[in-house]
Amino acid sequence: MIRIGVLVSGRGSNLESILKSTGSGPIKGARVSVVISNRPEARALRVARRYGVKAVALPPGSDSPDRLGASLATILESHGVTRKEGLVLLAGFMKVLPASFVELYRGRIMNIHPSLLPAFPGLNAQGQAIDRGVKVSGCTVHFVVPEVDAGPIIIQKAVPVKEGDDEDSLSARILRQEHRAYPEAVGLFVQGRLRIVGRGVQVKK
Amino acid sequence: MIRIGVLVSGRGSNLESILKSTGSGPIKGARVSVVISNRPEARALRVARRYGVKAVALPPGSDSPDRLGASLATILESHGVTRKEGLVLLAGFMKVLPASFVELYRGRIMNIHPSLLPAFPGLNAQGQAIDRGVKVSGCTVHFVVPEVDAGPIIIQKAVPVKEGDDEDSLSARILRQEHRAYPEAVGLFVQGRLRIVGRGVQVKK
């Protein structure tokens, strides 16, 4: 059984797609053991509790990178999300993880980003896409490396940008694909089908 | 009747997709009047002649940006591809156009690029995509501005990057979409449905 820790900051819609897929869902062999938010008021914590999953707000003063890494590692390990066998999912977590934490959980941290990376890294990817006038965008699930939005890519899903789209309508269309892509990526991980090779990810049959 | 000039350097596969669509093809109201190559030995010149289209190699010594711009403008204008009513298509043209030429034909020069811009601009976009390990790539038709691969985007088509792909197999898959995208973009232009708005292109119904 792979134990998953999900790091959140916001409303928790990607968290919910993961919660629906694991545990008693279609992804056998994994369950979410803990959800951790840097914001105590994050709606995602309520989502976690609704699914009967432990929801933890980071203690005040966890803001420095060193403290953030230490706090996360402590909470994750104490819920069985170990650096040897666990899986850490970033689901709208708005803090940059310290490199030491990323190294500790190397190859066991995933993030989802609302663009087809390497296009539009960083904040507000959907707004960047609208401003640039692209006709195709999408989402990317990738392993996390210390450099932001630069890790090996597991899954990407494309969506059209339609005439008259604004940031909100494009975000909604991308989000529907995020809710498919993230559980797919977790499923591949749980089945042992992902192998990081160089800057890429090989998906075994 | 919109007269089109196509600038080439290589084998002319995108040229052929344009030649098939214009003239007596499905795009009414446009025909290719001249094909210009910076390389006299380019296979694309033979493709042009096979379709009965005037094929011109740039004179030796057209390499400096100023001379390149002047040579192109002279040949295009003399074949009716005017800066007021013509359309210039880059189809694998391996020279950077001087800004003065781009300004002269402002909003009337298109290029096709084998990636989903802004990802992987510049040379060997397909190899860049393989090296980065993306799972989705594609092609982009855009209006040309002086900055390379940065112009307003008209059409993008996505393709999957499959397990085991190399640069050749990915290039072939993208090329099939290029052969659909470029005639589509030309058709929209000929129908007067493209409007450059800021950094983007509005496609009218």
Side-chain angles (χ1 to χ4, degrees):
Chain A
M1 174 65 67
I2 290 177
R3 285 167 204 269
I4 298 172
V6 186
L7 311 191
V8 298
S9 299
R11 60 191 164 163
S13 84
N14 272 310
L15 167 65
E16 191 154 9
S17 77
I18 299 294
L19 288 167
K20 281 181 183 161
S21 309
T22 53
S24 56
I27 298 177
K28 300 300 168 203
R31 67 180 176 82
V32 178
S33 297
V34 63
V35 173
I36 307 173
S37 172
N38 64 314
R39 293 176 56 238
E41 71 277 21
R43 181 179 163 274
L45 293 175
R46 296 206 301 277
V47 172
R49 291 186 190 111
R50 179 148 43 87
Y51 280 78
V53 169
K54 187 71 181 293
V56 179
L58 286 173
S62 307
D63 271 3
S64 81
D66 281 356
R67 285 193 188 175
L68 176 64
S71 292
L72 289 174
T74 303
I75 299 168
L76 289 167
E77 292 279 340
S78 73
H79 289 84
V81 185
T82 67
R83 59 188 172 140
K84 297 289 183 201
E85 293 180 324
L87 177 62
V88 179
L89 303 178
L90 310 189
F93 187 62
M94 296 303 285
K95 292 266 179 196
V96 174
L97 294 173
S100 56
F101 178 85
V102 173
E103 284 303 323
L104 199 65
Y105 281 87
R106 190 188 188 83
R108 295 187 166 273
I109 312 175
M110 290 183 190
N111 183 38
I112 190 158
H113 183 84
S115 77
L116 294 175
L117 290 171
F120 312 125
L123 293 176
N124 191 20
Q126 305 95 330
Q128 291 183 56
I130 291 288
D131 289 347
R132 179 59 186 84
V134 295
K135 303 297 189 188
V136 172
S137 193
C139 65
T140 301
V141 183
H142 63 91
F143 284 114
V144 172
V145 296
E147 191 190 338
V148 172
D149 297 334
I153 292 170
I154 302 162
I155 285 180
Q156 294 185 302
K157 293 197 183 286
V159 309
V161 182
K162 297 185 178 174
E163 212 54 46
D165 262 341
D166 60 14
E167 193 183 316
D168 288 344
S169 59
L170 178 59
S171 296
R173 193 174 307 121
I174 292 174
L175 193 61
R176 285 194 290 278
Q177 295 305 312
E178 292 179 46
H179 294 165
R180 293 177 50 208
Y182 221 170
E184 263 183 58
V186 171
L188 292 171
F189 182 93
V190 170
Q191 293 163 30
R193 292 171 59 192
L194 301 178
R195 191 173 145 225
I196 298 175
V197 181
R199 297 189 68 192
V201 176
Q202 206 178 76
V203 181
K204 287 179 239 169
K205 295 257 176 199
Chain B
M1 173 67 64
I2 290 178
R3 286 167 204 268
I4 298 173
V6 186
L7 311 191
V8 297
S9 300
R11 60 190 164 165
S13 84
N14 272 309
L15 168 65
E16 192 155 7
S17 77
I18 299 296
L19 287 167
K20 281 181 183 160
S21 308
T22 53
S24 55
I27 299 177
K28 301 300 170 203
R31 68 180 174 83
V32 177
S33 295
V34 64
V35 173
I36 307 174
S37 172
N38 64 314
R39 293 176 56 238
E41 71 278 19
R43 181 178 164 276
L45 293 176
R46 296 206 301 278
V47 172
R49 290 185 190 113
R50 179 150 42 87
Y51 279 79
V53 169
K54 187 70 181 292
V56 179
L58 285 174
S62 307
D63 271 4
S64 81
D66 280 357
R67 283 194 189 174
L68 176 64
S71 291
L72 290 174
T74 303
I75 299 168
L76 290 167
E77 292 279 341
S78 73
H79 289 84
V81 185
T82 67
R83 60 188 173 140
K84 295 289 181 201
E85 293 180 323
L87 176 62
V88 178
L89 303 179
L90 311 189
F93 188 62
M94 295 303 286
K95 292 268 179 194
V96 175
L97 295 173
S100 57
F101 178 85
V102 173
E103 284 302 325
L104 198 66
Y105 281 87
R106 191 190 187 84
R108 296 188 165 271
I109 312 176
M110 290 183 190
N111 184 38
I112 189 157
H113 183 84
S115 76
L116 294 175
L117 290 171
F120 313 126
L123 294 176
N124 193 19
Q126 304 96 331
Q128 291 182 56
I130 292 288
D131 289 347
R132 179 59 185 85
V134 295
K135 302 298 189 188
V136 172
S137 192
C139 65
T140 301
V141 183
H142 63 91
F143 284 115
V144 171
V145 296
E147 193 191 337
V148 171
D149 297 333
I153 292 170
I154 302 163
I155 285 180
Q156 293 186 302
K157 292 196 184 288
V159 308
V161 181
K162 297 185 179 174
E163 211 55 45
D165 262 342
D166 59 14
E167 192 183 316
D168 287 345
S169 59
L170 178 60
S171 296
R173 193 174 307 120
I174 292 174
L175 193 61
R176 286 194 289 277
Q177 295 305 312
E178 293 179 45
H179 294 165
R180 292 177 51 208
Y182 221 170
E184 263 183 60
V186 171
L188 292 171
F189 182 93
V190 170
Q191 294 164 28
R193 291 170 60 192
L194 301 179
R195 192 173 144 223
I196 297 174
V197 182
R199 297 189 69 192
V201 176
Q202 205 178 77
V203 180
K204 288 180 239 169
K205 295 254 177 203

Short mmCIF file of all heavy atoms in Angstrom, two decimals, chain B residues 89-113:
data_model
loop_
_atom_site.label_atom_id
_atom_site.label_comp_id
_atom_site.label_asym_id
_atom_site.label_seq_id
_atom_site.Cartn_x
_atom_site.Cartn_y
_atom_site.Cartn_z
N LEU B 89 4.57 33.18 -47.77
CA LEU B 89 4.60 32.02 -46.87
C LEU B 89 6.03 31.51 -46.74
O LEU B 89 6.67 31.22 -47.76
CB LEU B 89 3.71 30.90 -47.43
CG LEU B 89 2.25 31.25 -47.68
CD1 LEU B 89 1.53 30.04 -48.26
CD2 LEU B 89 1.57 31.71 -46.39
N LEU B 90 6.50 31.39 -45.52
CA LEU B 90 7.77 30.74 -45.28
C LEU B 90 7.49 29.25 -45.09
O LEU B 90 6.68 28.86 -44.25
CB LEU B 90 8.45 31.29 -44.02
CG LEU B 90 8.55 32.81 -43.91
CD1 LEU B 90 9.44 33.18 -42.72
CD2 LEU B 90 9.09 33.42 -45.18
N ALA B 91 8.15 28.44 -45.92
CA ALA B 91 7.93 26.99 -45.84
C ALA B 91 9.29 26.32 -45.76
O ALA B 91 9.84 25.86 -46.76
CB ALA B 91 7.13 26.51 -47.05
N GLY B 92 9.84 26.34 -44.55
CA GLY B 92 11.17 25.77 -44.38
C GLY B 92 12.27 26.67 -44.92
O GLY B 92 13.33 26.20 -45.31
N PHE B 93 12.02 27.98 -44.93
CA PHE B 93 13.02 28.95 -45.40
C PHE B 93 14.03 29.17 -44.28
O PHE B 93 13.66 29.57 -43.17
CB PHE B 93 12.32 30.26 -45.77
CG PHE B 93 13.21 31.28 -46.44
CD1 PHE B 93 13.81 30.99 -47.66
CD2 PHE B 93 13.45 32.51 -45.86
CE1 PHE B 93 14.62 31.94 -48.30
CE2 PHE B 93 14.25 33.46 -46.48
CZ PHE B 93 14.84 33.16 -47.70
N MET B 94 15.29 28.88 -44.56
CA MET B 94 16.29 28.81 -43.48
C MET B 94 17.06 30.10 -43.27
O MET B 94 18.13 30.11 -42.66
CB MET B 94 17.26 27.65 -43.75
CG MET B 94 16.60 26.27 -43.71
SD MET B 94 15.74 25.92 -42.15
CE MET B 94 17.15 25.62 -41.07
N LYS B 95 16.55 31.21 -43.77
CA LYS B 95 17.18 32.51 -43.55
C LYS B 95 16.28 33.35 -42.66
O LYS B 95 15.04 33.27 -42.78
CB LYS B 95 17.36 33.25 -44.88
CG LYS B 95 18.35 32.61 -45.81
CD LYS B 95 19.70 33.23 -45.57
CE LYS B 95 20.75 32.63 -46.46
NZ LYS B 95 22.09 32.99 -45.98
N VAL B 96 16.88 34.16 -41.80
CA VAL B 96 16.10 35.10 -41.02
C VAL B 96 15.83 36.33 -41.89
O VAL B 96 16.74 36.88 -42.50
CB VAL B 96 16.86 35.51 -39.74
CG1 VAL B 96 16.10 36.60 -38.99
CG2 VAL B 96 17.06 34.29 -38.85
N LEU B 97 14.54 36.70 -41.97
CA LEU B 97 14.17 37.86 -42.80
C LEU B 97 14.58 39.15 -42.10
O LEU B 97 14.38 39.30 -40.90
CB LEU B 97 12.66 37.87 -43.03
CG LEU B 97 12.10 36.70 -43.85
CD1 LEU B 97 10.58 36.76 -43.84
CD2 LEU B 97 12.64 36.74 -45.27
N PRO B 98 15.11 40.11 -42.86
CA PRO B 98 15.45 41.39 -42.24
C PRO B 98 14.18 42.11 -41.79
O PRO B 98 13.11 41.99 -42.42
CB PRO B 98 16.15 42.16 -43.36
CG PRO B 98 15.75 41.49 -44.63
CD PRO B 98 15.47 40.06 -44.30
N ALA B 99 14.30 42.87 -40.69
CA ALA B 99 13.15 43.57 -40.13
C ALA B 99 12.50 44.49 -41.15
O ALA B 99 11.28 44.64 -41.18
CB ALA B 99 13.56 44.34 -38.87
N SER B 100 13.30 45.09 -42.01
CA SER B 100 12.76 46.03 -43.01
C SER B 100 11.79 45.31 -43.96
O SER B 100 10.73 45.84 -44.30
CB SER B 100 13.89 46.69 -43.79
OG SER B 100 14.69 45.68 -44.41
N PHE B 101 12.14 44.09 -44.34
CA PHE B 101 11.26 43.30 -45.21
C PHE B 101 9.99 42.90 -44.47
O PHE B 101 8.88 42.99 -45.02
CB PHE B 101 12.00 42.06 -45.73
CG PHE B 101 11.15 41.18 -46.60
CD1 PHE B 101 11.02 41.43 -47.95
CD2 PHE B 101 10.47 40.10 -46.06
CE1 PHE B 101 10.21 40.64 -48.76
CE2 PHE B 101 9.66 39.29 -46.85
CZ PHE B 101 9.54 39.57 -48.20
N VAL B 102 10.15 42.48 -43.21
CA VAL B 102 8.99 42.08 -42.41
C VAL B 102 8.03 43.27 -42.25
O VAL B 102 6.81 43.11 -42.34
CB VAL B 102 9.43 41.54 -41.03
CG1 VAL B 102 8.23 41.29 -40.12
CG2 VAL B 102 10.24 40.26 -41.20
N GLU B 103 8.58 44.45 -42.05
CA GLU B 103 7.73 45.64 -41.91
C GLU B 103 6.99 45.95 -43.22
O GLU B 103 5.82 46.32 -43.22
CB GLU B 103 8.57 46.86 -41.49
CG GLU B 103 8.96 46.84 -40.01
CD GLU B 103 7.74 46.78 -39.10
OE1 GLU B 103 6.69 47.39 -39.42
OE2 GLU B 103 7.81 46.10 -38.06
N LEU B 104 7.72 45.77 -44.34
CA LEU B 104 7.14 46.06 -45.66
C LEU B 104 5.89 45.20 -45.88
O LEU B 104 4.87 45.69 -46.37
CB LEU B 104 8.19 45.74 -46.72
CG LEU B 104 8.02 46.33 -48.12
CD1 LEU B 104 8.15 47.86 -48.07
CD2 LEU B 104 9.09 45.77 -49.07
N TYR B 105 5.97 43.93 -45.51
CA TYR B 105 4.86 42.99 -45.72
C TYR B 105 4.12 42.69 -44.41
O TYR B 105 3.55 41.62 -44.23
CB TYR B 105 5.38 41.68 -46.34
CG TYR B 105 5.63 41.77 -47.82
CD1 TYR B 105 6.86 42.22 -48.31
CD2 TYR B 105 4.65 41.43 -48.75
CE1 TYR B 105 7.10 42.31 -49.67
CE2 TYR B 105 4.89 41.52 -50.11
CZ TYR B 105 6.11 41.95 -50.57
OH TYR B 105 6.34 42.04 -51.92
N ARG B 106 4.10 43.64 -43.54
CA ARG B 106 3.52 43.48 -42.21
C ARG B 106 2.12 42.86 -42.25
O ARG B 106 1.25 43.32 -42.98
CB ARG B 106 3.43 44.87 -41.58
CG ARG B 106 3.10 44.88 -40.13
CD ARG B 106 2.81 46.31 -39.65
NE ARG B 106 2.66 46.30 -38.22
CZ ARG B 106 3.68 46.37 -37.37
NH1 ARG B 106 4.90 46.52 -37.80
NH2 ARG B 106 3.46 46.29 -36.07
N GLY B 107 1.92 41.78 -41.47
CA GLY B 107 0.62 41.12 -41.45
C GLY B 107 0.34 40.28 -42.68
O GLY B 107 -0.78 39.78 -42.84
N ARG B 108 1.32 40.13 -43.55
CA ARG B 108 1.14 39.38 -44.80
C ARG B 108 2.24 38.33 -44.99
O ARG B 108 2.46 37.87 -46.11
CB ARG B 108 1.12 40.33 -46.00
CG ARG B 108 -0.06 41.27 -45.96
CD ARG B 108 -0.23 42.10 -47.21
NE ARG B 108 -1.57 42.68 -47.18
CZ ARG B 108 -2.65 42.10 -47.68
NH1 ARG B 108 -2.58 40.95 -48.28
NH2 ARG B 108 -3.83 42.69 -47.57
N ILE B 109 2.92 37.99 -43.91
CA ILE B 109 3.93 36.92 -43.96
C ILE B 109 3.57 35.90 -42.89
O ILE B 109 3.37 36.25 -41.73
CB ILE B 109 5.35 37.44 -43.67
CG1 ILE B 109 5.68 38.69 -44.48
CG2 ILE B 109 6.38 36.34 -43.94
CD1 ILE B 109 7.04 39.30 -44.14
N MET B 110 3.47 34.65 -43.31
CA MET B 110 3.22 33.56 -42.35
C MET B 110 4.41 32.62 -42.32
O MET B 110 5.13 32.47 -43.30
CB MET B 110 2.00 32.74 -42.77
CG MET B 110 0.67 33.43 -42.63
SD MET B 110 -0.66 32.24 -43.09
CE MET B 110 -2.05 33.36 -43.14
N ASN B 111 4.57 31.96 -41.19
CA ASN B 111 5.57 30.91 -41.05
C ASN B 111 4.92 29.70 -40.38
O ASN B 111 3.92 29.85 -39.67
CB ASN B 111 6.74 31.39 -40.19
CG ASN B 111 7.85 30.36 -40.10
OD1 ASN B 111 8.15 29.66 -41.07
ND2 ASN B 111 8.46 30.24 -38.92
N ILE B 112 5.48 28.53 -40.61
CA ILE B 112 5.05 27.35 -39.88
C ILE B 112 6.23 26.81 -39.11
O ILE B 112 7.35 26.78 -39.62
CB ILE B 112 4.42 26.29 -40.80
CG1 ILE B 112 3.77 25.16 -39.98
CG2 ILE B 112 5.43 25.72 -41.80
CD1 ILE B 112 2.70 24.40 -40.72
N HIS B 113 5.97 26.42 -37.86
CA HIS B 113 7.06 26.00 -36.97
C HIS B 113 6.67 24.66 -36.31
O HIS B 113 5.54 24.53 -35.84
CB HIS B 113 7.28 27.07 -35.89
CG HIS B 113 8.43 26.76 -34.98
ND1 HIS B 113 9.74 27.06 -35.30
CD2 HIS B 113 8.48 26.16 -33.78
CE1 HIS B 113 10.53 26.65 -34.34
NE2 HIS B 113 9.79 26.10 -33.39
#
